[in-house]
Every structure is written in C-alpha cells, then in structure tokens.
Amino acid sequence: MRVCYSISSGLILLPGKPGSEPAIFSVGGPIPDSPADNPSLLSLVSDWQETNAETLDSARVDVRTKYLRYWAAQLLGDLIIGLPAALECDTIKYLDDLLDTRVVPKEVIGELLQAPLARPESGRRLVAVADDLGCTAVALVLETTVELQPRLVALSGAWRRLSVEHFAALGRSPEELWRQLAHRGGILSLLEAADNAFIDCWLRTNDDVESITPSDQAILHAMGHDLAALFYEEPFETEFDPLTIGPGFGTKPFVSMVGKLRTYFQKHYEYSFQSTTWGGDARLVSRCHPPASAIEEVEPAVLFVPVRSKGLLRDAA
Amino acid sequence: MPATVAHGLFEKTSTLYAGLEGQVRGGGRRPPLPPQDRQRAGTAGMIFGSYDGEIRYGVLSLNRWGLRTYGKVHCRLRAETIAHRVTFLETNSYLFVRRQELNPGDPIPAGYRAIWANRHLLALAKVEPHLEKDGDPAQWPDLLVRSDGRDRSQDEFIEAHIFGTFNSESIGSVEIDEEGPSNELEKLLARIVVARHRESQDSPIEGSTS
C-alpha cells in the first residue's frame, strides 16, 4: 500500500477505505492516532514523502527507525551549537541510550557529515563531557565526526571545484547531488575510503541512484576520477595520513580502527582512550597491558596505531 | 505545535514556517497524492481560492495557550507581525466546509469570519451561549479555546488564517504543555525550543494576544 510519512514528525498517513477518512499515525510524538481530519494538522509538517509499505506495522518500524536516526543527528547538532549545561547533560544521556539501543551510530555520523562543522572545537569539548558522563557511544560519534572534519572540508572543497559540465550532463545541481550523496550515507563512505578504493566507493555509492542510465554511469565515472584527483590534491589539515601509515593498512580507515579499539578495550579492560586528531595524538592508556592474544583478536591494521603513539600495544605484542 | 516542528523553526532564524502548501508552491517537492491531500487542498481551495498555498493556520487565544491536541509547544505570535495579514474563521475550516455543505465556487456565508480589528465580535458570537452576566473573565480563555487534549474532533476554537510565512522572530512567547501525552524525546525537544527562544529574546517586544 502507498503511504505518506514524515521523518521529522514521525507521522504516517494512510488513505482511508472508500467513504471513510484517511488515518494518521504517530511513531514518536504525542499526537494520537486519529482520522486526518483537518488541513491544519497536515500543514504543520513540511517533509512528507511517499513510499510503498506491506503493512502498517512495517511502515511504523521503517518510519520509527528513520525518525529516531534523524532526531539523534539533530540533537547532536543542538549539542554542537550549544545548550545550557543541565540540558546538555540530559541530551547527552538521552542520546547515549538511543545510540546504545535503537540507532546505529555509523548512520548518525553519516547524517552529521552533510556539511563541515562551523565549530569543531565545540565537538571536541563535548567528547570530554560525554566521556565524563560515561556516555561512550555519544563520545565516539562526536569524536569520529570531529576527526573526519578535515577530510570533509577537503571533500566539499573538491566538490565545489568539480566541473559544472558534470552536473549539467546529469541534469542535477551540485547541491542536489551532494544532498543525495549525503542521504545515502555516501559521504561517510568516501571519507573512510582508502585512496585506491575511492573510485570503487564512489561508483558503489551511486549504484542505487534512481533512473541511472549508461551515459549517466560514464559521467559518474569521470566525475569520480576528477573528484578523487581534487580530493587528494591538497594535504589534509593534519599531518597524519591514515592511508600510508604502514604495510597492510591500505584499506583500513583510521576511524574504524579507533572505534574497534575503543569497543574492544571497553569490553576487556579498564581503559582511557583518546585520539583527538588524525595524527600523532592517538594514544591508548590501559591500566594493564593487554596480552598478545588480545591483539590478535583485533584487526591486524590496529598494530600500526602505536607506531606513532606511546607504543603500548607494540610493547605488549 | 509538536516539539519536532517547533524545533525546526527555532533551529535558525532563516527557517520559515512553511507548512505543506509553502513547500509545494515553492517547487521544492511534489505534494502527496493520497486522498487526504485532495481533501486538504479541496477545503483550503474552497475558502481561499487560488491563494490557499499562502495560508498558515493558527488559533485565536486570549492567553499563551493554543490547542493541546496539536502538540506540546504553544507559540504565541507577536501581534505586530500578523495583525495586518490574518483573518479568523468561526471554527475548524475542514468542519466548516462540511457543516455549511459548501461546494467549489460557493460564497462563504456571512457572519463566520473576521479581520484582526473585529475579532472580538466573532469571538463574542461564538462563545455567547456560554457567557453569563456575572461570569468570571478569567474563564473566558477556556471558553474560546476548548480541547480535551486527546480528541481533535472535540476541539472548539476560532481558526486563524495567516497570509504568508513567519520565522522564530515572530514568536513572542513559548509555553510547554507539561500535562499532555509525550515521550522523552518530545520533552527534550520542547526544552531545547524554550532554550533557543530565550536566547533569541535579547530585546523582548511585548505583543498582545494572537
């Protein structure tokens, strides 16, 4: 069945049976399920979309997932913009619960990477606040988002320098195509991709674009090469280059490593882990050195992290 | 309005309260096609004709509270930002069209609408059956806006029709309905809206009731 839904409000509209009113359902807010009985309610919402759903229950599940992810990203944005202290604390705790149980952190990071942060320093401060509150999921999302900013700035800069002919040939504006890329989580994929995987990642990201033609494919291919060239043209703001850190690291993005390390040691050790920039400042401080067997359980690439840090893991290994 | 909507409005001052019609007219997206949209468009079209897309809906109130069936956040618009571009209808426009059995092209019956300057006459005509000679004026706000907070079909109010859009700077006060149904996210968003509103109130301007 065809339904209308709004991600921001969590409302679902179902056409009624012949002769009856359509119905409105809410997956989040306090608006009760009821007939959609006046235009005022419908006009409150500005992001109606249409989709096919097998049942009302499946539509509810799908919309609720999108609704919570959207608001997780919005609340993180609110935190970065700034909130009064008590509200900041409550928001972080609520978000941590959300990220632990109902929202995939990586998808939220994808939402946050739609544009570079105006105040990344605010994000860094919030990482410390979240850590102090024991809200590690929030800390990790914010930390990753902040760490990716130099690459995001470089990517958006490269995007702006792309030839307008590419966009004209596709019949889409740069802004529209960027929004679509962000919507599909493509920006995070590109930022995490190694240099030799950038093009593949770009093409994979564009695979599911609606109504793509063979000629569009060719344009996207050329566009991807241009984008990669421009993206890697200038060094990133930090000195650390995750793609050349060591043999075997090639396709493993640094951010994923940080996440894996954090998750691993969170489970097994009392720890404090910080990685405040892309380069040279990653350090693991553990109260006991993990045994060599522990290292082997983590991806081999992480062994290269301590090369530029305190050497704890290398010593332990 | 729901806290989710209010949050978007207070995100930045450049955000305009667009509503569905504004977006459709702006060409940003295609309108939803199921029957509910035809009903919405039909109702608005019968009352407003070709400019139905310019209308934002509200409620005439004597205090800072609107209808609890529409969400936790109650925003009172500054009079000076809307007085010149608002009209009022005696009830919910959807119900009005049905009760009056209006068809496309029918004139709107006289006596059910008012401009800002005459809004008191429309309010008097609507609540007159409930007024008593020695009644307490403190009860008047509850006579003008009646809602049980659950069933919108039982709401009684005077609907405000604002021509054009507005942003958060048009909002004079924000109140949160602490009693209505809500979840943790709505409560949090409502608190954020209040915080953002306070931040924007560096130079408060006193406005009268909407």
Side-chain angles (χ1 to χ4, degrees):
Chain A
M1 72 183 147
R2 203 78 177 148
V3 300
C4 281
Y5 67 95
S6 152
I7 293 175
S8 68
S9 67
L11 294 177
I12 302 173
L13 284 170
L14 287 183
K17 293 175 182 172
S20 67
E21 300 289 347
I24 188 162
F25 302 88
S26 173
V27 300
I31 291 177
D33 295 351
S34 65
D37 54 5
N38 69 58
S40 311
L41 180 64
L42 298 183
S43 69
L44 283 174
V45 177
S46 58
D47 63 338
W48 293 110
Q49 300 178 50
E50 283 183 286
T51 188
N52 284 317
E54 288 186 10
T55 63
L56 174 59
D57 282 343
S58 67
R60 277 183 187 271
V61 170
D62 183 45
V63 173
R64 184 167 179 75
T65 302
K66 291 174 177 169
Y67 169 82
L68 291 175
R69 182 172 65 220
Y70 172 84
W71 281 109
Q74 290 291 313
L75 289 175
L76 284 161
D78 277 313
L79 285 170
I80 291 167
I81 292 168
L83 291 173
L87 189 50
E88 179 180 274
C89 183
D90 289 348
T91 304
I92 288 174
K93 287 176 179 171
Y94 173 79
L95 269 171
D96 203 57
D97 179 54
L98 209 57
L99 291 167
D100 268 345
T101 55
R102 288 174 287 173
V103 175
V104 180
K106 186 164 184 174
E107 292 178 352
V108 177
I109 295 169
E111 295 254 351
L112 286 172
L113 292 174
Q114 296 190 17
L117 295 178
R119 297 169 55 198
E121 68 280 6
S122 170
R124 289 187 200 103
R125 183 189 69 80
L126 286 163
V127 172
V129 175
D131 266 335
D132 288 346
L133 290 169
C135 297
T136 51
V138 172
L140 179 57
V141 166
L142 286 167
E143 186 177 50
T144 306
T145 304
V146 170
E147 283 172 348
L148 285 171
Q149 290 306 302
R151 293 173 70 83
L152 179 58
V153 169
L155 184 66
S156 58
W159 189 267
R160 283 197 300 272
R161 297 200 301 279
L162 276 174
S163 166
V164 292
E165 291 171 6
H166 290 313
F167 299 105
L170 289 169
R172 292 188 175 96
S173 69
E175 295 78 12
E176 185 186 0
L177 211 56
W178 178 271
R179 272 199 303 273
Q180 289 177 357
L181 188 65
H183 182 65
R184 292 192 302 273
I187 291 175
L188 176 59
S189 304
L190 289 173
L191 296 181
E192 285 195 326
D195 54 354
N196 57 358
F198 189 91
I199 292 297
D200 286 344
C201 181
W202 165 259
L203 293 175
R204 203 166 46 246
T205 302
N206 286 292
D207 262 355
D208 57 349
V209 174
E210 285 180 20
S211 63
I212 195 164
T213 65
S215 106
D216 289 343
Q217 286 278 19
I219 296 163
L220 285 168
H221 201 274
M223 202 170 171
H225 278 285
D226 287 358
L227 185 62
L230 291 166
F231 182 48
Y232 291 108
E233 193 173 65
E234 300 289 334
F236 302 122
E237 286 178 18
T238 51
E239 62 188 29
F240 181 84
D241 180 359
L243 309 175
T244 57
I245 189 170
F249 181 70
T251 58
K252 291 291 175 188
F254 179 67
V255 172
S256 297
M257 288 169 17
V258 172
K260 280 177 183 164
L261 274 175
R262 179 186 285 279
T263 306
Y264 183 83
F265 286 101
Q266 191 179 346
K267 282 180 183 169
H268 294 86
Y269 299 98
E270 191 173 0
Y271 82 106
S272 166
F273 186 80
Q274 297 172 322
S275 59
T276 52
T277 71
W278 273 83
D281 198 23
R283 56 187 180 278
L284 175 72
V285 182
S286 175
R287 291 197 178 177
C288 58
H289 285 183
S293 60
I295 303 299
E296 290 167 7
E297 289 180 39
V298 187
E299 293 284 340
V302 303
L303 289 172
F304 293 99
V305 173
V307 169
R308 292 193 184 185
S309 66
K310 302 297 182 188
L312 288 177
L313 277 182
R314 187 175 51 187
D315 294 345
Chain B
M1 63 180 76
T4 50
V5 174
H7 181 276
L9 196 56
F10 279 92
E11 203 171 3
K12 48 185 183 280
T13 54
S14 59
T15 302
L16 297 176
Y17 184 83
L20 178 64
E21 290 84 353
Q23 286 219 346
V24 173
R25 295 302 168 95
R29 58 185 288 280
R30 191 166 60 90
L33 298 176
Q36 58 265 28
D37 185 56
R38 292 200 293 274
Q39 291 179 359
R40 176 199 59 75
T43 298
M46 271 189 269
I47 296 180
F48 305 111
S50 60
Y51 59 89
D52 63 327
E54 299 292 343
I55 301 300
R56 279 39 174 190
Y57 296 83
V59 172
L60 179 65
S61 172
L62 284 169
N63 55 24
R64 297 177 171 215
W65 300 91
L67 289 164
R68 295 172 57 201
T69 41
Y70 285 79
K72 287 189 73 64
V73 181
H74 298 238
C75 296
R76 187 182 64 160
L77 293 169
R78 298 181 197 281
E80 59 269 32
T81 67
I82 57 160
H84 60 292
R85 57 188 178 117
V86 65
T87 59
F88 300 95
L89 182 67
E90 187 251 1
T91 189
N92 174 339
S93 51
Y94 182 83
L95 293 179
F96 179 78
V97 167
R98 292 202 154 193
R99 285 175 186 165
Q100 299 292 329
E101 298 179 352
L102 292 180
N103 291 307
D106 288 350
I108 307 295
Y112 294 96
R113 291 188 293 177
I115 59 171
W116 178 264
N118 290 336
R119 66 194 187 284
H120 60 292
L121 299 178
L122 184 64
L124 184 61
K126 183 177 179 73
V127 303
E128 182 274 334
H130 304 284
L131 291 176
E132 295 172 359
K133 185 179 179 185
D134 299 318
D136 181 2
Q139 304 298 319
W140 292 354
D142 293 334
L143 293 178
L144 194 59
V145 179
R146 279 172 284 164
S147 173
D148 63 7
R150 293 186 298 275
D151 185 355
R152 282 196 304 278
S153 67
Q154 300 302 311
D155 290 345
E156 274 297 335
F157 59 97
I158 289 178
E159 193 170 83
H161 301 144
I162 303 158
F163 185 92
T165 188
F166 55 87
N167 67 359
S168 60
E169 291 180 333
S170 300
I171 294 173
S173 73
V174 175
E175 300 293 337
I176 306 301
D177 179 5
E178 302 289 354
E179 294 177 7
S182 67
N183 56 32
E184 202 176 345
L185 175 60
E186 279 273 328
K187 289 176 184 170
L188 201 54
L189 291 175
R191 288 173 61 194
I192 291 172
V193 168
V194 171
R196 295 279 181 250
H197 177 64
R198 282 185 186 146
E199 286 168 9
S200 70
Q201 296 299 293
D202 293 331
S203 306
I205 302 169
E206 286 302 318
S208 58
T209 186
S210 58

